[in-house]
Amino acid sequence: MSIRVALHHQTTYSYDRLVTIFPQLVRLRPAPHCRTPIAAYSLKILPQPHFLNWQQDPHGNYLGRLVFPEQANKLSIEVDLVAEMTVINPFDFFLEPNAEQWPFFYEPWLVEELRPYLAAETPGPALSQWLDSVSRDKRRTVDFLIEVNRRLSQEIGYVIRLDPGVQSCEQTLTLARGSCRDSA
């Protein structure tokens, strides 16, 4: 049985005179590949008239491009959605046969396609030390990933952090705490 959650988001800008509202890019629609079922979605835009064109970025996320042909003294963007919070099996995936054991290596053509995701900065001392402590023994890839996540969960305390941005690996490891975005 799933739980249904209703979410409401509204952003409003009011001006003391008529202004030109330049094109806006709205990222307030769940991606088509999200695993959480979306039972209902509604987007309300003021002022009228306006033009809304949906696009997708290279990662498959929806982008709403808004154009306002007339001046207005208010801009309002309102989203309502209903999501079904279902239990998702995190192991509902398969690995290619050549990736079932860690370490594994990508085929050259795939390395080229994954290049943006494989780029990494030079690790600092805290991250280097942590990476050096990770076992390089050959084992099932899923077991390797579970172990890395278990260690991170045990070694980095979760905190709600309202500061903008993401902490560096060095900060998160040195402080031994961070928000979910810092631990990712």
Side-chain angles (χ1 to χ4, degrees):
M1 178 166 73
S2 63
I3 298 172
R4 283 192 167 199
V5 177
L7 301 173
H8 174 81
H9 173 87
Q10 183 169 5
T11 299
T12 303
Y13 297 95
S14 296
Y15 308 99
D16 63 357
R17 64 180 80 68
L18 290 176
V19 297
T20 299
I21 301 173
F22 289 97
Q24 303 288 310
L25 198 57
V26 177
R27 301 171 194 264
L28 295 171
R29 181 175 171 186
H33 56 270
C34 79
R35 295 182 73 178
T36 301
I38 304 302
Y41 174 85
S42 137
L43 175 65
K44 296 176 191 137
I45 308 290
L46 291 175
Q48 291 284 0
H50 63 266
F51 301 99
L52 170 64
N53 291 333
W54 286 107
Q55 303 168 309
Q56 284 184 300
D57 70 12
H59 304 287
N61 300 304
Y62 285 119
L63 307 174
R65 183 168 171 76
L66 290 163
V67 176
F68 301 92
E70 299 174 8
Q71 290 188 322
N73 62 1
K74 185 176 192 177
L75 170 62
S76 176
I77 301 169
E78 188 174 352
V79 174
D80 287 290
L81 71 82
V82 176
E84 292 191 30
M85 305 305 289
T86 59
V87 175
I88 296 172
N89 177 1
F91 298 101
D92 184 19
F93 64 88
F94 69 92
L95 296 173
E96 295 296 330
N98 68 323
E100 289 177 354
Q101 294 290 315
W102 186 87
F104 61 88
F105 301 94
Y106 294 113
E107 297 289 332
W109 65 268
L110 189 52
V111 169
E112 189 60 34
E113 288 189 26
L114 295 174
R115 188 169 310 286
Y117 305 101
L118 298 174
E121 295 176 14
T122 303
L127 181 56
S128 291
Q129 182 180 0
W130 195 90
L131 291 172
D132 289 343
S133 71
V134 173
S135 170
R136 302 295 197 265
D137 296 338
K138 187 171 183 130
R139 57 188 148 160
R140 291 182 54 229
T141 300
V142 172
D143 294 337
F144 169 75
L145 294 173
I146 290 170
E147 175 62 19
V148 166
N149 280 290
R150 183 193 60 74
R151 275 196 57 202
L152 288 170
S153 174
Q154 289 176 342
E155 296 174 15
I156 299 174
Y158 174 76
V159 295
I160 296 173
R161 204 169 57 73
L162 301 177
D163 305 327
V166 179
Q167 290 180 171
S168 69
C169 293
E170 293 299 303
Q171 288 175 290
T172 303
L173 291 168
T174 302
L175 295 170
R177 68 177 182 274
S179 65
C180 53
R181 66 184 184 264
D182 303 320
S183 297

